[in-house]
Amino acid sequence: DIQMTQSPSSLSASVGDRVTITCQASQDISNYLNWYQQKPGKAPKLLIYDASNLETGVPSRFSGSGSGTDFTFTISSLQPEDIATYYCQQYDNLPFLFGQGTRLEIK
Amino acid sequence: EVQLVESGGGLVKPGGSLRLSCAASGFTFSSYSMNWVRQAPGKGLEWVSSISSSSSYIYYADSVKGRFTISRDNAKNSLYLQMNSLRAEDTAVYYCARDRVAAAGSDYWGQGTLVTVSS
């Protein structure tokens, strides 16, 4: 199985800060990576697909980069409504494992 | 508007069975692969099973293989998950999710249905 190591597990930042989350795959997954946002009590929401493509309707402050084994998710200017847990997911090979998640809080 | 509505969750004893359903609307259901993803209380997301648009390809996580069966009825725009031999560790919110494109993660998710396995 391709393991996904996501870091940090939690993060506290101020409104307006630039926030970065990383996800490392245990083997090369090309760009077969998604990023999701999950707010408490809600279903996950797709933000980024194919490592760097912004899903329709998602604000441009969200972005993704990387390929191979190392990936980065960035919020350029943190907003209060961005408080959530963020997950990466690889879809290069079954099982389509998720990262452990990053809980983002406002400082 | 794409909508996915799960049902069928509830409380079941260990060793019991449950069948989850997901009613889809707002898109051509028969054109999309579908998934079940679960989330144990306070934990992360776990992919459970996927089924291709015509049911030709079916995949399971090792944790549920041999106990769970995914199926779909394209005429009824519905996805199912038959869960047998349930264990306490199967306790979770189960989400139905549509593949963005085949085997490329999910772009739309239902609100989830809670399955609790407890005596």
Side-chain angles (χ1 to χ4, degrees), chain A residues 23 42 54 67 97 99:
Chain A
C23 190
K42 300 294 186 181
L54 197 65
S67 66
L97 295 180

Side-chain angles (χ1 to χ4, degrees), chain A residues 34 36 46 49-50 89 91 96, chain B residues 99-107:
Chain A
N34 292 332
Y36 298 91
L46 178 65
Y49 64 93
D50 294 346
Q89 182 198 27
Y91 51 93
F96 299 144
Chain B
D99 259 0
R100 181 178 60 81
V101 294
S106 302
D107 59 353

Side-chain angles (χ1 to χ4, degrees), chain B residues 17-84:
Chain B
S17 298
L18 214 52
R19 189 195 197 206
L20 305 183
S21 299
C22 172
S25 60
F27 65 103
T28 304
F29 180 72
S30 59
S31 296
Y32 287 85
S33 298
M34 299 293 295
N35 306 287
W36 289 100
V37 177
R38 69 184 180 183
Q39 187 169 36
K43 302 297 184 183
L45 300 169
E46 180 187 13
W47 170 80
V48 172
S49 183
S50 295
I51 185 168
S52 63
S53 58
S54 60
S55 304
S56 298
Y57 300 98
I58 288 175
Y59 308 102
Y60 298 100
D62 285 346
S63 57
V64 306
K65 201 173 293 183
R67 301 187 298 123
F68 290 12
T69 302
I70 191 173
S71 62
R72 63 191 296 162
D73 185 336
N74 288 342
K76 295 183 177 179
N77 291 339
S78 293
L79 176 72
Y80 306 101
L81 187 67
Q82 177 67 43
M83 304 186 296
N84 298 331

Side-chain angles (χ1 to χ4, degrees), chain A residues 1 3-4 15 38 50 55 62 73 82 84 88 97 105:
Chain A
D1 295 359
Q3 302 301 317
M4 305 302 295
V15 172
Q38 187 180 32
D50 294 346
E55 176 71 346
F62 296 101
F73 172 81
D82 299 337
C88 61
L97 295 180
E105 299 173 341

